[in-house]
Amino acid sequence: MSRNSNKLRIGSGAGWWGDRIDPARWNAERGELDFLCFETMAEATVSAAQVRKRRDPGFPGYDTWLDDRMRAVLPHCMANGTHIISNQGWIHPQAAARRVAELCAEVGWKNAKVAAITATDLSSTIAASGLSIMESGAPIASLHDTLISAEPYAGAEAIVQALDQGADIVITGRVADPSLFLAPMMHHYGWRHDDWDKLGQGSGIGHLLECGAQVTGGYFGDPGYKDVPEPWNLAFPYADVDADGTAEIGKVSGTGGCIDLRTVKEQMFYEVHDPARYVTPDVVVDFTTAQLEQTGENRVTVRGISGHPRTATLKVSVGCTEGYIGEDMFFFAGPGCLEKARLADTILRERLRMANLQADDLRIDFIGLNAVHGAASAPPSPNHVPAEIAVRIAARCATRAQAEKIGREVDGMAVCGLASTGKRVPHQDRVREVIGLWSALVPRESVHCTIEFV
């Protein structure tokens, strides 16, 4: 390969669970990468995985797109000597690692060393820890009866250890997003665990890469204001990282999108509450010292991000059962559609009252009129009457039986409703269990990671 031996090239393979797969394959095939990192695990993903596990005993507990992603990149990573780091292990990293090993064998990578990293499961102990819930200040013991999971955010350290032990592929569970990208920098350059400025710079670069195409023009385009070339053909980024952490962000040639100061700045402050104090398990990142320079077409150099000593605590995502949501939708179009929607609202509320619906929350939205802005929505004017309305109804209930009443009453609108009601065939699942997510801070020493080679 024609890699620059003086730089480490790290590429993004995913920015979330449902991300596209082709850009990861392009990076693996043409990106000349040293490392390809997949980030597919958000708080919502943990919740979805816990729901799936509860309703489906056969669910293996890892990314449902793992096979597709690995089959797309493994032949190229094997041929090009590219290591893989991924948090696609979700709630069962060992099972994911075993599956990846099987997929490696399928493509002929029979000597691949696959490591699984698992952090301490705090589910059985956190309720008695005496800690508080970050969002409310209430004691975490108040969640005892509904608590089903407690997963700490691990950092880069165990990944570095696995790489130091020769791992070609590392599969993790809940690891902080930037840590997936920081780990290969620490491994390759031998950065110390207390070199805060290098760790701050490395974590900052990881933050730029973790959301995939968001730094190459994804979630950025606004026609006429922020135009993006070939937005159907977006690549995932890579970073060429020097030993001091200075990095140049780029993408493979022949792809759409753009990398410029605007896209980098937007991603730099994405999901960052305090730019001077972005807390990760490895370091507290300070973006206020960052220096950005456009160094070429679709090339931006990032330097100067600094860091401060890591905190004595780690964040834990606590999952709790919080009932069920029943949801459905139907449609009106043409003259009088808004009047029909308003009458349908009245009909449904009365029928749900007659059915003795027990709901903690009930809302009926007119999509296209008030579904996003709610009460702040501007009323329709005589000169602009909507041509179509989708009526969405949702209720949050303590039991599945109560939530199922939503779909039953919407079904009744098909022939017991108004003229020209458009109704979907009721075969889709209209009730879903809700796993609420709360946060707590636990002492760092209470969390340990284990490394298992497959």
Side-chain angles (χ1 to χ4, degrees):
M1 294 181 63
S2 58
R3 290 193 186 100
N4 184 337
S5 60
N6 296 321
K7 295 180 183 289
L8 175 69
R9 179 169 287 187
I10 304 169
S12 171
W16 75 292
W17 169 20
D19 218 336
R20 300 187 67 237
I21 294 176
D22 277 348
R25 178 174 55 81
W26 301 337
N27 263 351
E29 182 180 18
R30 295 185 275 139
E32 298 185 341
L33 304 179
D34 296 294
F35 286 86
L36 178 61
C37 301
F38 292 84
E39 199 292 291
T40 74
M41 191 178 188
E43 286 83 356
T45 319
V46 176
S47 175
Q50 296 292 354
V51 169
R52 176 79 179 270
K53 178 182 176 182
R54 286 164 61 83
R55 75 181 185 191
D56 178 6
F59 174 54
Y62 53 75
D63 184 354
T64 54
W65 293 104
L66 182 136
D67 280 30
D68 297 70
R69 295 189 199 283
M70 290 297 113
R71 285 196 167 111
V73 305
L74 282 175
H76 307 296
C77 290
M78 176 181 65
N80 296 328
T82 301
H83 294 70
I84 295 173
I85 300 173
S86 176
N87 63 4
Q88 289 174 271
W90 287 8
I91 59 176
H92 200 340
Q94 297 97 329
R98 289 194 293 268
R99 180 58 184 153
V100 169
E102 293 171 355
L103 295 170
C104 286
E106 284 184 12
V107 302
W109 196 355
K110 298 185 184 301
N111 61 342
K113 294 186 68 175
V114 183
I117 294 178
T118 306
T120 303
D121 183 357
L122 302 174
S123 305
S124 62
T125 59
I126 196 166
S129 65
L131 299 172
S132 298
I133 301 170
M134 292 176 65
E135 291 82 358
S136 67
I140 206 161
S142 63
L143 303 176
H144 180 272
D145 293 339
T146 60
L147 191 148
I148 60 171
S149 66
E151 299 179 347
Y153 282 70
E157 186 171 351
I159 302 175
V160 175
Q161 292 175 6
L163 295 174
D164 289 346
Q165 294 172 31
D168 299 296
I169 300 171
V170 181
I171 305 296
T172 78
R174 176 70 275 184
V175 167
D177 303 350
S179 302
L180 299 168
F181 299 85
L182 174 63
M185 303 178 208
M186 296 176 67
H187 161 73
H188 184 79
Y189 289 122
W191 291 350
R192 300 191 319 272
H193 293 278
D194 59 355
D195 192 336
W196 305 122
D197 281 336
K198 283 193 176 73
L199 298 188
Q201 172 74 9
S203 294
I205 298 304
H207 175 68
L208 292 175
L209 298 177
E210 71 186 47
C211 289
Q214 284 189 200
V215 86
T216 61
Y219 202 61
F220 174 82
D222 189 354
Y225 297 93
K226 298 185 298 181
D227 293 314
V228 175
E230 295 185 43
W232 54 88
N233 193 30
L234 295 176
F236 292 153
Y238 58 71
D240 290 325
V241 185
D242 289 337
D244 66 355
T246 299
E248 189 174 54
I249 310 296
K251 65 185 183 72
V252 295
S253 61
T255 58
C258 58
I259 299 175
D260 58 29
L261 297 179
R262 303 170 305 161
T263 64
V264 173
K265 288 176 183 178
E266 284 202 14
Q267 174 57 26
M268 180 172 286
F269 297 114
Y270 176 73
E271 294 182 335
V272 173
H273 294 170
D274 182 352
R277 189 170 174 78
Y278 179 58
V279 180
T280 79
D282 306 293
V283 62
V284 177
V285 183
D286 185 351
F287 288 110
T288 65
T289 58
Q291 301 171 40
L292 307 181
E293 180 185 0
Q294 188 86 43
T295 46
E297 184 179 5
N298 295 313
R299 305 285 291 187
V300 170
T301 295
V302 183
R303 59 172 58 88
I305 302 172
S306 53
H308 306 288
R310 65 187 187 182
T311 61
T313 56
L314 292 173
K315 181 181 176 182
V316 177
S317 287
V318 181
C320 300
T321 57
E322 293 191 356
Y324 298 82
I325 288 179
E327 180 181 11
D328 208 346
M329 187 183 302
F330 55 99
F331 313 87
F332 297 108
C337 65
L338 180 55
E339 288 72 20
K340 291 175 184 175
R342 286 170 170 162
L343 181 53
D345 182 305
T346 300
I347 291 170
L348 282 170
R349 291 183 188 276
E350 285 299 311
R351 288 180 178 171
L352 290 168
R353 181 185 60 80
M354 295 161 62
N356 194 28
L357 174 70
Q358 304 296 311
D360 297 321
D361 190 18
L362 170 68
R363 60 182 291 169
I364 300 178
D365 298 319
F366 299 160
I367 296 178
L369 186 71
N370 63 12
V372 175
H373 295 117
S377 302
S381 67
N383 297 325
H384 178 69
V385 178
E388 57 188 44
I389 290 287
V391 181
R392 171 191 176 269
I393 177 170
R396 186 187 186 109
C397 306
T399 67
R400 177 177 287 275
Q402 288 291 329
E404 286 173 346
K405 292 180 180 180
I406 298 300
R408 293 291 299 136
E409 292 303 336
V410 170
D411 286 347
M413 295 297 290
V415 294
C416 290
L418 303 171
S420 67
T421 300
K423 179 71 182 68
R424 300 180 295 181
V425 177
H427 295 313
Q428 71 280 3
D429 187 1
R430 296 175 291 182
V431 175
R432 65 182 187 272
E433 186 178 15
V434 178
I435 303 297
L437 288 173
W438 302 91
S439 305
L441 296 176
V442 300
R444 180 178 292 272
E445 58 270 16
S446 66
V447 177
H448 305 279
C449 290
T450 59
I451 303 172
E452 176 186 336
F453 278 86
V454 177

